Amino acid sequence: MNREAIRFILGWILNVEGALLLLPTLVAAIYRESCGWTFAATVLLCLAIGIPCTWGGLRQKVFHTREGLVIVALSWLVLSIVGAIPFVLSGAIPHPVDALFETVSGFTTTGASILTDVESLPRSILFWRSFTHWIGGMGILVFILSILPLSGGYHMHLMKAESPGPEVSKLAPRVQSTAKILYGIYLVLTAVEVVLLLLGNMPLFDALTTTFGTAGTGGFGIKNDSITSYSPYIQYVVTIFMILFGVNFNAYFLILMGRAKQLRYAEEVWTYLGIIAASVAVIAFNTYRIYQNVEETFRHAAFQVASIITTTGFATTDFDQWPQLSRTILVILMFIGACAGSTGGGIKVSRLLILVKSIRMEFHYFLHPREVRCLRLEGHAVSSDTIRSVNVFLITYMMVFVVSTLLVSLDNQDLVTNFTAVAATLNNIGPGLAAVGPTQNFSHFSVFSKLVLTFDMLAGRLELFPVLLIFFPRTWKRFS
């Protein structure tokens, strides 16, 4: 175990977080809010710990998958604990567990909240709360890899551990260049959405915080009714960008490189868009009697489908009041999730494609046991290691889901609440149904259940294994 590398990267995590905390400090100064000192104090704490940890650089630069997984898990844990400090010190969320729940929900782009009245919070607190979505959307370590002048092939272990999906490929020969490309695309899409929201007469503060939630597919709103009170134009803009941020960023890279023709092989993207189109059509037909006209029906159906499948969690209507068919479709979309290589959560469309193709191949083997076939996705052969990792992921996912549901059920909530609360946190969605529906929150859960759901949010964002690995004693041995 390369403990020096862990110390060094965690130090940079604190330094970067300290720099990012300067933005809400500035917001507090602009709006003359007294809670600005809490952000300034947290900045000083980050730098006081982070600078000594990074002083002298990294001498032992060789580390492997094990260290990469541990570094990612600990980085997100440290990031969340420190990020919760301003909530506690300002009194916005005085209970440490509640503050940690809210912060983890922000960084993991879940959007589940324990707050009952967000409009009463200071602007700087609301800004930091939404900004955590944007930070966590692409991944804090991807950002660090894009700015640090590091060298060596071990970088890929960090990117693989933090990036969602069964496979992570480099867009450029160097990992640092890949990280810069990803963040470049992320920044451009963010800026375009902000401009379009401003064109819809949305205030700048609202446009920024809404875009942070959309870009990170997080869902924290600055109004108690989420996006409901905004104009149809703004709702359409948010819908489109939720879908765009749920697309694999490799597709945007192909377009930038003038290789858009290759998108015809992008099975995952086309399947993702097909699922959205089919879900919107069915839900719109199923709910058309609830709303005044066809346009309103389509708008709400499209918004909620985009919000759930991309695991954003914004809402324009109380979909918990929809017919059972529509609600069931939304629950299924919670598990499907967005594309790999996007900011969305869930199981991922690519994994489900591999699973469906594996099942189809097994049926073929029953009919033709001597024939040798190769599973292909997007024109490329899928390795046996990838197929194995998908199967192991899905089994582990089901085990974590079942255990979490059992633990949360100790609170004696109803089954729908427990089931969808775990689904909403493990898939990084935010709202569920019943007592955790779009007009409700997670404040009524016990401290123990909140800790379980907090674990689920971290495990879901990091796709289980980095978080689970830190509980194995063998992980921490110097030699294994």
Side-chain angles (χ1 to χ4, degrees), residues 45-114:
L45 176 64
C46 289
L47 298 180
I49 300 174
I51 291 176
C53 288
T54 56
W55 196 263
L58 182 61
R59 291 169 297 177
Q60 178 55 266
K61 295 184 177 182
V62 178
F63 60 86
H64 305 287
T65 303
R66 178 178 61 166
E67 284 91 344
L69 294 169
V70 170
I71 288 171
V72 168
L74 292 180
S75 295
W76 280 75
L77 187 59
V78 168
L79 186 75
S80 300
I81 292 173
V82 174
I85 293 175
F87 290 122
V88 177
L89 293 181
S90 66
I93 309 177
H95 197 289
V97 173
D98 286 347
L100 182 64
F101 181 96
E102 197 80 11
T103 310
V104 170
S105 181
F107 281 121
T108 59
T109 72
T110 303
S113 180
I114 52 85

Side-chain angles (χ1 to χ4, degrees), residues 353-397:
L353 280 173
I354 292 173
L355 179 63
V356 170
K357 291 191 175 192
S358 298
I359 294 172
R360 187 172 63 185
M361 185 180 291
E362 285 300 315
F363 280 121
H364 189 85
Y365 284 146
F366 280 121
L367 299 175
H368 307 281
R370 295 178 181 272
E371 185 176 348
V372 177
R373 292 174 66 90
C374 177
L375 193 154
R376 304 182 72 83
L377 182 67
E378 303 193 344
H380 302 287
V382 179
S383 67
S384 57
D385 287 341
T386 299
I387 297 173
R388 177 188 57 81
S389 69
V390 168
N391 293 333
V392 172
F393 173 85
L394 292 171
I395 293 170
T396 308
Y397 176 92

Side-chain angles (χ1 to χ4, degrees), residues 195-269:
V195 171
L196 291 176
L197 291 176
L198 290 174
L199 291 175
N201 295 320
M202 198 179 204
L204 178 60
F205 182 84
D206 295 36
L208 286 172
T209 51
T210 300
T211 300
F212 292 154
T214 308
T217 59
F220 276 156
I222 61 171
K223 293 184 179 295
N224 292 331
D225 63 0
S226 189
I227 309 295
T228 305
S229 57
Y230 290 111
S231 68
Y233 166 82
I234 288 173
Q235 293 176 8
Y236 277 121
V237 170
V238 174
T239 299
I240 292 169
F241 276 88
M242 284 191 294
I243 295 172
L244 291 177
F245 280 106
V247 170
N248 192 322
F249 275 44
N250 287 6
Y252 301 128
F253 177 74
L254 292 175
I255 294 172
L256 288 174
M257 295 296 103
R259 291 149 55 188
K261 290 184 179 179
Q262 295 184 23
L263 290 178
R264 65 178 181 271
Y265 301 113
E267 288 183 67
E268 182 184 28
V269 174

